[in-house]
Amino acid sequence: MGEASRVTGRFRGTFDVLHSLTYFAPETEAALTGAGLRPGRMTYFAGRAAPMGAVGPGVVAATFYNFNPELVARHIPRAWTLATPEKIIEARFEAVDATLTRLLGKETLGSDEVAEAAELAREATGGCQVDGRPLYAGHAGLDWPSEPHLVLWHAITLLREHRGDGHIAALVANGLDGLAALVTHTATGKGFLPAAAKASRGWSDEQWDNAAVKLREQGILDGEGGLTEAGNDLRERLEVATNAASTGPWEHLGEEKTKRLHELCGPLSRQAVEAGAFPANVFSTGR
């Protein structure tokens, strides 16, 4: 297995932490409500969707995929009447700056290692493809920030959304809608705990249970809600397909630089987690 394939498989544990921590940071809600949005889920939907412009709820639900469309529609398009996408994007970067400063400290953010990581991550994005990747394309159209730690965050965001768009394509190809994708991923023990998944994605117990019944009928879940052999095979196919669609940036960066970027970002991710980037009782221990 080449370095590109290895890194795509380890993306969640090393690089994604540095992006996704902003969704749990109080600085994010403070900055986006300061821009005019209402607190709660609106800040997430509008903050992440703003690079695509003032799109409707259907576009957000389609590109975010595993959220209940009814939840999305409670906040989009109302969010755009409260703050423009441009203002939201500006506030989001302000929140990222404040969050990373709190979790990693100014000394770390001003280090040669962060500057090097930012340069390498930005170079890796040169291997991303826009084709069929709408959420990535929206983010790729933004201007690059100037501060190295913000460059690093933006580059990882591009790599994440590029990978995520490819993952959705794999889910569609394998016949999993958003809720089924969420239920089966939770069953792997490597994602959200079920209660957190339902709450954050807006699914009721009844909707979740109905999806689980269908997955049992399809032989994907067993009677205890765990994955069957067929279910494990399905999730493995999804990971293989997602990784295969995500190797471009790492092949572009090259094996030596890719390995170096992984070495640089690993300690940053661990430091952020140890500083309390993520709340308890949200993710399984297999995350």
Side-chain angles (χ1 to χ4, degrees):
M1 181 185 293
E3 188 64 21
S5 296
R6 282 193 291 270
V7 168
T8 57
R10 297 188 303 232
F11 187 88
R12 182 177 176 85
T14 301
F15 301 111
D16 187 48
V17 166
L18 295 174
H19 166 85
S20 59
L21 57 81
T22 58
Y23 299 131
F24 300 90
E27 292 88 348
T28 299
E29 182 157 303
L32 294 183
T33 54
L37 299 180
R38 298 293 180 263
R41 304 309 294 162
M42 181 183 285
T43 61
Y44 174 81
F45 292 130
R48 190 176 171 209
M52 296 189 291
V55 295
V59 174
V60 175
T63 53
F64 288 20
Y65 205 69
N66 61 20
F67 288 83
N68 188 335
E70 296 174 359
L71 176 63
V72 176
R74 292 176 203 158
H75 305 289
I76 303 292
R78 184 176 179 232
W80 316 130
T81 70
L82 302 174
T84 65
E86 293 77 14
K87 188 173 183 180
I88 293 168
I89 291 166
E90 181 180 354
R92 193 185 192 206
F93 275 110
E94 291 173 359
V96 172
D97 184 27
T99 301
L100 292 179
T101 299
R102 172 174 59 86
L103 293 172
L104 299 179
K106 291 184 178 180
E107 182 176 351
T108 295
L109 296 185
S111 67
D112 292 341
E113 288 78 10
V114 166
E116 182 184 0
E119 182 179 344
L120 291 173
R122 182 169 182 171
E123 184 178 346
T125 66
C128 294
Q129 298 296 319
V130 174
D131 311 60
R133 289 178 163 93
L135 195 49
Y136 161 77
H139 286 77
L142 301 181
D143 293 333
W144 282 89
S146 57
E147 294 296 322
H149 63 285
L150 296 181
V151 171
L152 177 60
W153 182 85
H154 183 53
I156 289 174
T157 299
L158 294 177
L159 295 167
R160 180 192 199 257
E161 301 297 14
H162 181 269
R163 177 181 174 84
D165 285 338
H167 183 59
I168 289 174
L171 292 170
V172 172
N174 282 275
L176 287 182
D177 62 19
L179 179 52
L182 185 62
V183 172
T184 56
H185 186 253
T186 301
T188 67
K190 298 179 181 179
F192 283 110
L193 294 169
K198 295 175 193 177
S200 67
R201 269 50 183 167
W203 299 105
S204 68
D205 289 339
E206 182 181 5
Q207 289 169 319
W208 187 277
D209 292 343
N210 288 340
V213 168
K214 292 180 182 178
L215 290 166
R216 284 197 295 272
E217 291 172 349
Q218 294 167 357
I220 295 171
L221 292 183
D222 60 28
E224 302 300 318
L227 292 172
T228 62
E229 182 176 350
N232 280 310
D233 288 344
L234 171 61
R235 292 302 316 186
E236 178 63 24
R237 288 199 306 274
L238 290 169
E239 289 305 306
V240 169
T242 301
N243 291 341
S246 307
T247 58
W250 313 113
E251 292 172 347
H252 175 78
L253 188 60
E255 182 172 345
E256 183 177 341
K257 290 182 178 179
T258 294
K259 190 177 297 184
R260 177 58 178 162
L261 180 59
H262 188 272
E263 292 172 352
L264 291 166
C265 288
L268 295 174
S269 295
R270 288 192 292 273
Q271 183 178 341
V273 171
E274 290 168 1
F278 301 98
N281 302 319
V282 172
F283 297 107
S284 67
T285 55
R287 185 185 190 277

